[in-house]
Amino acid sequence: MKQRLVPTQVKNAKPADKQYKLTDGGGMYLLVRPDGAKYWRYDYRFQGRRKTLALGVFPEVTLAAARQSRNEARDLLVRGQDPAEERRAQKSAPDGSDSFEAVAREWFARQEHGWASNHSTKIIRRLERDIFPWIGDRRIGDIRAPEVLRALRRIEQRGAIETAHRAKQNCGQVFRYAIATGRADRDPSADLRGALPPSIPKSFASVKDPAAVGALLRAIDGYEGSFITRCALQLAPMLFVRPGELRHAQWPDFDLDGAEWRIPAERMKSRQPHIVPLAAQALTVLQELQPLTQRGRYLFPGVRSASRPMSENTVNAALRRMGYSSQEMTGHGFRSMASTLLNEQGWNRDAIERQLAHAERDSVRAAYNYAEYLVERRKMMQAWADYLDSLKRGADVVPIRGSSAS
């Protein structure tokens, strides 16, 4: 089939006294009205009758998108289905329970109880912003791979390649749920393998040079913003938990006498409980913070409401205020700082990984071994805090070596 139109022709088409057509081939054309409106149309024959299908309005629907809709309509004709009747049937569905959005929200409601709150929030926002506007009202069993790809391309075009891949993964989960519940026959997202550019993993910016770490710690101690934020900044390098775990920290989970913080499974990315031994220096920060916030639930309550934790941007914003760009240091970067330096110092790699709460591949083993290496981890966390103190003083010190280095 010869495609005669090019995008510039469509864009530059001027209105005339009477409406006219610009033919693209294969039954599709652009109808240009005297008022300047431009409508995509597709003429076809079904059971001997000539019919016309509206494909959208330019520029909301591009030439490429109109062609894709035309091709999908042709596919329906090959299968003996009338594209216009299929569209009417979709619009007249009684309750929309088979639409992509309805199925996706049902899937999400069944899954979110097993996710950390910040993870579930990201998933539903991603679907609402990037997927529902384009295929949300489509009957899920009728959606084809090109439709999903068009939605993903919009994400790709704004440079969010990793988000596009994650959205594709979420779509696949929704389609597989639809198959399991009898509302779809297959997962069209599986046909998109290789259709998106590869996502290049980005490491979180982090300060790792010991002298630079010392300078960062001194800057944190001199932070002139909120006292609560300064406490969070002081604990971040000592505890090196994930930023979400730190800002959601709750007083009932802390045993200051026993010098440990036990994070429940529902607030961990791995969905397993986690123990954070508290060095003497961490206890000092917590004891200073305690009178200010212990009446509430959170160690670091939000500015507008004590019933919610501090914003996810608070620590990063404080780092920017201190002069560290997003390419130099992030809240998540305290984890890679600790991992790099502790490994260099010879601490047991398994103990470091357990303290970082990296997901255990064997979920059964993980459920019973969250306290693994705890004796060594207590020693490591105190030695780490002592080492940070030495760097903060600017001392030229040899760090305490871990047991695996001896």
Side-chain angles (χ1 to χ4, degrees), residues 347-374:
W347 289 96
N348 184 331
R349 179 175 177 80
D350 290 333
I352 296 171
E353 291 297 295
R354 178 61 65 190
Q355 196 54 57
L356 287 164
H358 284 156
E360 173 67 57
R361 290 184 179 180
D362 184 336
S363 59
V364 176
R365 181 177 183 272
Y368 289 97
N369 289 279
Y370 66 94
E372 194 175 17
Y373 304 107
L374 188 55

Short mmCIF file of all heavy atoms in Angstrom, two decimals, residues 347-374:
data_model
loop_
_atom_site.label_atom_id
_atom_site.label_comp_id
_atom_site.label_asym_id
_atom_site.label_seq_id
_atom_site.Cartn_x
_atom_site.Cartn_y
_atom_site.Cartn_z
N TRP A 347 35.23 -5.48 55.89
CA TRP A 347 34.16 -6.11 56.64
C TRP A 347 33.53 -7.24 55.83
O TRP A 347 33.56 -7.22 54.60
CB TRP A 347 33.09 -5.07 57.03
CG TRP A 347 33.57 -4.12 58.08
CD1 TRP A 347 34.10 -2.89 57.89
CD2 TRP A 347 33.58 -4.36 59.49
NE1 TRP A 347 34.46 -2.32 59.09
CE2 TRP A 347 34.15 -3.21 60.10
CE3 TRP A 347 33.19 -5.42 60.30
CZ2 TRP A 347 34.32 -3.10 61.48
CZ3 TRP A 347 33.35 -5.31 61.67
CH2 TRP A 347 33.91 -4.16 62.25
N ASN A 348 32.97 -8.21 56.53
CA ASN A 348 32.33 -9.36 55.90
C ASN A 348 31.27 -8.87 54.91
O ASN A 348 30.32 -8.19 55.29
CB ASN A 348 31.69 -10.24 56.98
CG ASN A 348 31.07 -11.50 56.42
OD1 ASN A 348 30.63 -11.55 55.28
ND2 ASN A 348 31.05 -12.54 57.23
N ARG A 349 31.43 -9.24 53.64
CA ARG A 349 30.51 -8.76 52.60
C ARG A 349 29.08 -9.17 52.90
O ARG A 349 28.14 -8.40 52.68
CB ARG A 349 30.94 -9.31 51.24
CG ARG A 349 30.03 -8.89 50.10
CD ARG A 349 30.55 -9.35 48.76
NE ARG A 349 29.62 -9.00 47.70
CZ ARG A 349 29.54 -7.79 47.14
NH1 ARG A 349 30.31 -6.82 47.57
NH2 ARG A 349 28.66 -7.55 46.18
N ASP A 350 28.88 -10.38 53.42
CA ASP A 350 27.53 -10.84 53.73
C ASP A 350 26.91 -10.01 54.84
O ASP A 350 25.70 -9.72 54.82
CB ASP A 350 27.54 -12.32 54.12
CG ASP A 350 27.86 -13.21 52.93
OD1 ASP A 350 27.57 -12.81 51.79
OD2 ASP A 350 28.41 -14.31 53.14
N ALA A 351 27.72 -9.61 55.82
CA ALA A 351 27.21 -8.77 56.90
C ALA A 351 26.82 -7.39 56.37
O ALA A 351 25.80 -6.81 56.78
CB ALA A 351 28.26 -8.64 58.00
N ILE A 352 27.62 -6.86 55.45
CA ILE A 352 27.30 -5.56 54.85
C ILE A 352 26.00 -5.65 54.06
O ILE A 352 25.11 -4.79 54.19
CB ILE A 352 28.44 -5.10 53.92
CG1 ILE A 352 29.74 -4.88 54.73
CG2 ILE A 352 28.06 -3.81 53.19
CD1 ILE A 352 30.96 -4.64 53.86
N GLU A 353 25.86 -6.69 53.24
CA GLU A 353 24.65 -6.85 52.45
C GLU A 353 23.42 -7.01 53.32
O GLU A 353 22.35 -6.47 53.03
CB GLU A 353 24.79 -8.07 51.52
CG GLU A 353 25.81 -7.88 50.40
CD GLU A 353 25.41 -6.77 49.45
OE1 GLU A 353 24.37 -6.92 48.78
OE2 GLU A 353 26.10 -5.73 49.41
N ARG A 354 23.57 -7.76 54.42
CA ARG A 354 22.44 -7.93 55.33
C ARG A 354 22.08 -6.60 55.97
O ARG A 354 20.90 -6.28 56.13
CB ARG A 354 22.80 -8.97 56.40
CG ARG A 354 21.71 -9.20 57.43
CD ARG A 354 20.42 -9.71 56.82
NE ARG A 354 20.59 -11.05 56.25
CZ ARG A 354 19.68 -11.64 55.50
NH1 ARG A 354 18.56 -11.00 55.19
NH2 ARG A 354 19.89 -12.85 55.01
N GLN A 355 23.08 -5.78 56.33
CA GLN A 355 22.79 -4.49 56.94
C GLN A 355 22.17 -3.52 55.95
O GLN A 355 21.36 -2.67 56.32
CB GLN A 355 24.06 -3.89 57.57
CG GLN A 355 23.78 -2.76 58.54
CD GLN A 355 22.80 -3.20 59.62
OE1 GLN A 355 23.03 -4.16 60.34
NE2 GLN A 355 21.68 -2.50 59.73
N LEU A 356 22.53 -3.67 54.68
CA LEU A 356 21.92 -2.84 53.64
C LEU A 356 20.51 -3.31 53.31
O LEU A 356 19.79 -2.64 52.57
CB LEU A 356 22.78 -2.89 52.37
CG LEU A 356 24.10 -2.10 52.42
CD1 LEU A 356 25.01 -2.55 51.28
CD2 LEU A 356 23.84 -0.60 52.33
N ALA A 357 20.12 -4.49 53.85
CA ALA A 357 18.78 -5.06 53.63
C ALA A 357 18.52 -5.30 52.15
O ALA A 357 17.41 -5.09 51.66
CB ALA A 357 17.69 -4.17 54.23
N HIS A 358 19.56 -5.73 51.45
CA HIS A 358 19.35 -6.11 50.06
C HIS A 358 18.53 -7.38 50.03
O HIS A 358 18.70 -8.28 50.85
CB HIS A 358 20.69 -6.30 49.34
CG HIS A 358 21.35 -5.01 48.99
ND1 HIS A 358 22.70 -4.89 48.78
CD2 HIS A 358 20.84 -3.76 48.83
CE1 HIS A 358 23.00 -3.63 48.49
NE2 HIS A 358 21.88 -2.93 48.52
N ALA A 359 17.64 -7.47 49.06
CA ALA A 359 16.66 -8.56 49.03
C ALA A 359 17.35 -9.91 48.94
O ALA A 359 18.26 -10.11 48.14
CB ALA A 359 15.72 -8.38 47.84
N GLU A 360 16.91 -10.82 49.77
CA GLU A 360 17.38 -12.20 49.75
C GLU A 360 16.61 -12.95 48.67
O GLU A 360 15.38 -12.91 48.61
CB GLU A 360 17.12 -12.85 51.12
CG GLU A 360 17.39 -14.34 51.19
CD GLU A 360 18.86 -14.66 51.03
OE1 GLU A 360 19.67 -14.14 51.81
OE2 GLU A 360 19.18 -15.43 50.09
N ARG A 361 17.33 -13.62 47.78
CA ARG A 361 16.65 -14.32 46.68
C ARG A 361 15.73 -15.42 47.20
O ARG A 361 14.68 -15.68 46.63
CB ARG A 361 17.69 -14.92 45.72
CG ARG A 361 18.45 -13.86 44.93
CD ARG A 361 19.40 -14.50 43.93
NE ARG A 361 20.10 -13.47 43.16
CZ ARG A 361 21.00 -13.75 42.21
NH1 ARG A 361 21.27 -15.01 41.91
NH2 ARG A 361 21.59 -12.78 41.56
N ASP A 362 16.15 -16.09 48.25
CA ASP A 362 15.33 -17.14 48.84
C ASP A 362 14.43 -16.48 49.89
O ASP A 362 14.88 -16.16 50.98
CB ASP A 362 16.23 -18.20 49.48
CG ASP A 362 15.44 -19.39 50.02
OD1 ASP A 362 14.25 -19.22 50.33
OD2 ASP A 362 16.03 -20.47 50.16
N SER A 363 13.16 -16.28 49.58
CA SER A 363 12.26 -15.53 50.47
C SER A 363 12.04 -16.27 51.78
O SER A 363 11.85 -15.64 52.83
CB SER A 363 10.93 -15.27 49.77
OG SER A 363 10.31 -16.49 49.40
N VAL A 364 12.03 -17.61 51.75
CA VAL A 364 11.85 -18.38 53.00
C VAL A 364 13.05 -18.19 53.90
O VAL A 364 12.94 -17.94 55.11
CB VAL A 364 11.62 -19.86 52.68
CG1 VAL A 364 11.54 -20.68 53.96
CG2 VAL A 364 10.36 -20.05 51.86
N ARG A 365 14.23 -18.27 53.30
CA ARG A 365 15.46 -18.07 54.08
C ARG A 365 15.50 -16.65 54.65
O ARG A 365 15.87 -16.45 55.81
CB ARG A 365 16.68 -18.31 53.19
CG ARG A 365 18.02 -18.15 53.93
CD ARG A 365 19.18 -18.48 52.98
NE ARG A 365 20.45 -18.41 53.68
CZ ARG A 365 21.16 -17.30 53.82
NH1 ARG A 365 20.71 -16.16 53.32
NH2 ARG A 365 22.31 -17.30 54.47
N ALA A 366 15.08 -15.68 53.84
CA ALA A 366 15.10 -14.29 54.30
C ALA A 366 14.20 -14.09 55.50
O ALA A 366 14.53 -13.34 56.43
CB ALA A 366 14.67 -13.36 53.16
N ALA A 367 13.06 -14.75 55.53
CA ALA A 367 12.10 -14.57 56.61
C ALA A 367 12.67 -15.03 57.95
O ALA A 367 12.30 -14.51 59.01
CB ALA A 367 10.82 -15.35 56.30
N TYR A 368 13.59 -15.98 57.91
CA TYR A 368 14.13 -16.53 59.15
C TYR A 368 15.53 -16.02 59.47
O TYR A 368 16.07 -16.33 60.53
CB TYR A 368 14.16 -18.06 59.08
CG TYR A 368 12.77 -18.68 59.13
CD1 TYR A 368 12.10 -19.05 57.97
CD2 TYR A 368 12.12 -18.85 60.35
CE1 TYR A 368 10.83 -19.59 58.01
CE2 TYR A 368 10.85 -19.40 60.41
CZ TYR A 368 10.21 -19.76 59.23
OH TYR A 368 8.95 -20.29 59.28
N ASN A 369 16.12 -15.24 58.57
CA ASN A 369 17.51 -14.86 58.76
C ASN A 369 17.74 -13.34 58.76
O ASN A 369 18.82 -12.89 58.48
CB ASN A 369 18.38 -15.51 57.67
CG ASN A 369 18.52 -17.00 57.88
OD1 ASN A 369 19.33 -17.46 58.67
ND2 ASN A 369 17.72 -17.76 57.17
N TYR A 370 16.69 -12.56 59.06
CA TYR A 370 16.89 -11.12 59.07
C TYR A 370 17.83 -10.68 60.18
O TYR A 370 18.37 -9.58 60.15
CB TYR A 370 15.55 -10.38 59.18
CG TYR A 370 14.81 -10.57 60.48
CD1 TYR A 370 14.96 -9.66 61.52
CD2 TYR A 370 13.94 -11.66 60.67
CE1 TYR A 370 14.28 -9.82 62.71
CE2 TYR A 370 13.27 -11.83 61.86
CZ TYR A 370 13.44 -10.91 62.87
OH TYR A 370 12.77 -11.08 64.06
N ALA A 371 18.05 -11.54 61.21
CA ALA A 371 18.98 -11.23 62.30
C ALA A 371 20.36 -11.83 62.06
O ALA A 371 21.21 -11.82 62.95
CB ALA A 371 18.42 -11.72 63.63
N GLU A 372 20.59 -12.33 60.85
CA GLU A 372 21.86 -12.98 60.52
C GLU A 372 23.02 -12.00 60.67
O GLU A 372 22.89 -10.82 60.36
CB GLU A 372 21.78 -13.50 59.07
CG GLU A 372 22.89 -14.46 58.71
CD GLU A 372 22.67 -15.01 57.31
OE1 GLU A 372 21.88 -14.43 56.55
OE2 GLU A 372 23.30 -16.04 57.00
N TYR A 373 24.14 -12.49 61.17
CA TYR A 373 25.36 -11.70 61.37
C TYR A 373 25.15 -10.54 62.34
O TYR A 373 25.87 -9.54 62.28
CB TYR A 373 25.90 -11.15 60.04
CG TYR A 373 26.16 -12.19 58.99
CD1 TYR A 373 25.31 -12.33 57.89
CD2 TYR A 373 27.27 -13.05 59.09
CE1 TYR A 373 25.55 -13.29 56.92
CE2 TYR A 373 27.51 -14.02 58.12
CZ TYR A 373 26.65 -14.13 57.04
OH TYR A 373 26.89 -15.08 56.07
N LEU A 374 24.17 -10.64 63.22
CA LEU A 374 23.81 -9.48 64.04
C LEU A 374 24.95 -9.07 64.97
O LEU A 374 25.19 -7.87 65.17
CB LEU A 374 22.54 -9.77 64.84
CG LEU A 374 21.95 -8.57 65.59
CD1 LEU A 374 21.70 -7.40 64.63
CD2 LEU A 374 20.64 -8.97 66.28
#
